[in-house]
Amino acid sequence: MNKHIKTALIGATLAAAVSGAWAQDKAALIKQFIELQRPGVEALARGLVEESSLPIARAGAGYLQTQVPEAKREAAGKAADAELKKYFDDAYPLVRDKAVQLAPSALTPVLDQNFNEEEMRQLVAWVSSPVSKKYQELNPQLQNALTEKLVAETRASVEPKLRALDTSVAKALGAPTDGGAAKSSSNGSGGGTSAAPKAPAKK
């Protein structure tokens, strides 16, 4: 065999081997990164489950305040809260486990297309670092601090808009507007009458 051809074949074989090793290394880094993101994936699932029950909770709050006698509100509210918690305790594990199961197939292509091996190595190093872990632990506190200030600063402007929306939605539905949509929801075919006055308690 020609010496130059043999050298070229050896070079191509080595290049393919190195390329394959890099691909395996990158795939392993992506897998490690996704595993490190599991707390965030579970938090996403928790948020989705909590958000799904908010319309029922809000409708229930309106019904509780306008239709339930004051003497019975506390007991009714606790009973409704218990039902919302029961829903959360039942739905969250299902959504959490499915989210963890789907994360590799959903996230791997995006990471693979947008990060090279060295960038993935840096990402894994950052997420694994004490500073990153400290930031992740502090992040809910940071979000709460901003949320509280934002709500306080915008409440006066937003609440009149919400009341106007409540009335306009009731009109659109052909419901009485004196009690707003929250009141009319208690007369509808939905489950508003059994809803709780607030979002489900977090575990």
Side-chain angles (χ1 to χ4, degrees):
M1 181 180 293
N2 185 288
K3 182 178 180 180
H4 295 293
I5 296 177
K6 184 183 292 185
T7 302
L9 287 173
I10 293 174
T13 301
L14 289 173
V18 171
S19 177
W22 283 348
Q24 290 176 358
D25 288 344
K26 185 179 179 183
L29 287 167
I30 290 175
K31 181 179 179 181
Q32 182 180 359
F33 178 78
I34 293 175
E35 290 173 350
L36 290 168
Q37 293 302 303
R38 177 163 180 161
V41 172
E42 293 181 351
L44 172 66
R46 174 184 292 272
L48 288 173
V49 174
E50 290 175 345
E51 185 178 352
S52 69
S53 64
L54 281 178
I56 296 175
R58 288 168 179 162
Y63 181 84
L64 189 70
Q65 294 300 318
T66 61
Q67 303 297 312
V68 178
E70 184 175 357
K72 298 182 178 180
R73 285 177 191 169
E74 183 177 358
K78 288 181 178 179
D81 278 341
E83 291 301 319
L84 268 181
K85 186 177 185 302
K86 180 180 177 182
Y87 162 78
F88 177 84
D89 291 343
D90 183 49
Y92 171 60
L94 298 175
V95 179
R96 177 199 61 205
D97 293 348
K98 181 59 68 174
V100 171
Q101 177 187 346
L102 294 175
S105 61
L107 302 181
T108 295
V110 179
L111 293 169
D112 189 39
Q113 292 170 14
N114 290 278
F115 295 96
N116 59 37
E117 181 185 353
E118 180 55 32
E119 290 170 336
M120 284 305 310
R121 200 178 304 280
Q122 293 178 29
L123 273 176
V124 169
W126 159 247
V127 173
S128 303
S129 69
V131 174
S132 175
K133 292 178 180 179
K134 185 175 182 179
Y135 172 76
Q136 295 298 328
E137 292 174 355
L138 188 63
N139 197 42
Q141 183 177 336
L142 294 172
Q143 291 181 353
N144 288 339
L146 175 59
T147 299
E148 290 176 4
K149 191 169 184 62
L150 180 62
V151 170
E153 293 290 334
T154 60
R155 179 181 288 113
S157 299
V158 172
E159 284 188 346
K161 298 179 184 299
L162 282 174
R163 287 193 292 270
L165 174 64
D166 191 50
T167 300
S168 63
V169 168
K171 287 181 178 179
L173 295 173
T177 58
D178 55 340
K183 180 177 179 180
S184 65
S185 67
S186 66
N187 299 321
S189 59
T193 59
S194 62
K198 55 187 178 181
K202 295 184 178 182
K203 294 179 69 178

